[in-house]
Amino acid sequence: MTKKLWNAVVAGGAVAVFTAMAAAPADAATGAVSYSQLSINGGKPIVIGIQETVRVPVTFRMTTSRTWRWPPVVYLYRGKGDYWESDSLRSGFGASDDYCPTKGKGSCVINDGWLSISPTVLDANGFAGTWKSGAYLSLPKDDDVSTDLKRSVQVQRATRVTVNAAPEPVVKGKTITVTGKVSRANWETGTYQGYAGRTVSLQFKADGASSYTTVKKVTSGSAGALKTTVKAAKSGTWRWNYYGNSTSGAKASTGDHVAVWSGVRVMHAPRVMHAR
């Protein structure tokens, strides 16, 4: 995955975009460059599927005594080698240049930066897990400074969860069977595959309620299948909720509504017609 960094600026626009992948950061003090007020995806894990490029919000403040040729680029990396040797994870980085011009010196503030990651750069499921974060600053005369931002980021494989509750409607006290499936992205095959052995919560929200309540927990089968039964008590919506783990994102299914009725029919007296 190690590649040299290329820089490109959108001509005439307010956005600078930096593509390809950088490499390993050096010591944070190298080159008199420091970073503060850092936020990558608001501290939340980065969840990536099999098709859509994920755009992650990034903010930071850079302070340096050096003159730069290009604004800093944030990326994720693993390893501790030099610029050319460690793996780096990024499809592109961009930001408004209102606060961080193409050429400058001193402080530089990025309030609306983004780190983009395409599933096409994820050719191994082992990429899921903990990554370090770094920043690359391009200097004149082909010089540069790479800095360890000392902030870890969790990268996760996206999950999908489905649900079906039947029969519907159902008589109160009868059995409702709730089925579904939990699967997760396989970056090596470009497909979603059943995720076995996962603890998934069956949740219910009664009509008129504002939130779901966990009814029971079920372990997914060998192909990620989910199945359980409950007694019909009141009308409402059923869903499965998987809370994720260090390498797989959290995901709840959509809801499936089931109407519950008493089963008692109201008999109306026949209408009597009077002859005139």
Side-chain angles (χ1 to χ4, degrees):
M1 289 181 62
T2 303
K3 297 182 180 180
K4 187 176 180 179
L5 178 72
W6 290 282
N7 296 310
V9 178
V10 179
V15 177
V17 179
F18 310 91
T19 59
M21 288 174 282
D27 186 81
T30 301
V33 181
S34 63
Y35 293 83
S36 60
Q37 302 173 25
L38 174 68
S39 174
I40 301 176
N41 205 34
K44 298 179 294 184
I46 300 173
V47 182
I48 305 172
I50 60 174
Q51 292 182 326
E52 300 296 326
T53 295
V54 175
R55 184 160 156 158
V56 180
V58 176
T59 62
F60 61 85
R61 179 186 183 91
M62 179 196 72
T63 303
T64 180
S65 59
R66 309 287 296 272
T67 298
W68 66 80
R69 183 175 58 171
W70 300 105
V73 174
V74 170
Y75 56 93
L76 308 181
Y77 77 97
R78 281 178 170 176
K80 53 183 180 181
D82 63 20
Y83 174 84
W84 301 101
E85 294 179 358
S86 287
D87 288 339
S88 174
L89 180 60
R90 191 186 75 254
S91 301
F93 182 86
S96 168
D97 60 7
D98 292 344
Y99 300 96
C100 196
T102 301
K103 295 181 180 180
K105 184 177 182 179
S107 295
C108 169
V109 178
I110 296 292
N111 289 320
D112 58 354
W114 68 85
L115 168 69
S116 62
I117 303 174
S118 169
T120 60
V121 304
L122 300 168
D123 55 7
N125 292 323
F127 288 157
T130 304
W131 288 74
K132 301 173 185 178
S133 58
Y136 172 93
L137 183 65
S138 178
L139 304 174
K141 299 181 180 179
D142 294 325
D143 195 7
D144 58 73
V145 177
S146 295
T147 305
D148 180 1
L149 296 177
K150 302 187 182 301
R151 183 75 55 85
S152 62
V153 178
Q154 207 70 22
V155 176
Q156 298 176 334
R157 297 158 64 180
T159 58
R160 289 178 174 175
V161 186
T162 61
V163 65
N164 182 60
E168 45 186 311
V170 64
V171 176
K172 184 175 181 179
K174 295 296 184 179
T175 298
I176 298 174
T177 300
V178 187
T179 58
K181 181 178 180 179
V182 56
S183 56
R184 67 170 173 171
N186 186 325
W187 293 331
E188 297 171 7
T189 63
T191 61
Y192 279 87
Q193 296 182 339
Y195 199 12
R198 299 301 98 193
T199 300
V200 184
S201 296
L202 177 65
Q203 299 182 324
F204 178 71
K205 182 173 69 173
D207 287 354
S210 59
S211 60
Y212 283 88
T213 300
T214 297
V215 176
K216 62 170 66 176
K217 296 182 179 182
V218 174
T219 301
S220 61
S222 59
L226 300 165
K227 184 176 181 179
T228 191
T229 58
V230 292
K231 293 296 183 181
K234 59 181 69 175
S235 297
T237 303
W238 296 91
R239 76 174 184 183
W240 294 105
N241 193 358
Y242 174 58
Y243 287 96
N245 56 38
S246 61
T247 60
S248 306
K251 187 68 175 181
S253 70
T254 58
D256 191 7
H257 186 269
V258 176
V260 177
W261 57 291
S262 65
V264 178
R265 294 185 177 181
V266 178
M267 303 300 292
H268 296 280
R271 184 176 181 183
V272 179
M273 304 296 293
H274 298 280
R276 294 184 177 178

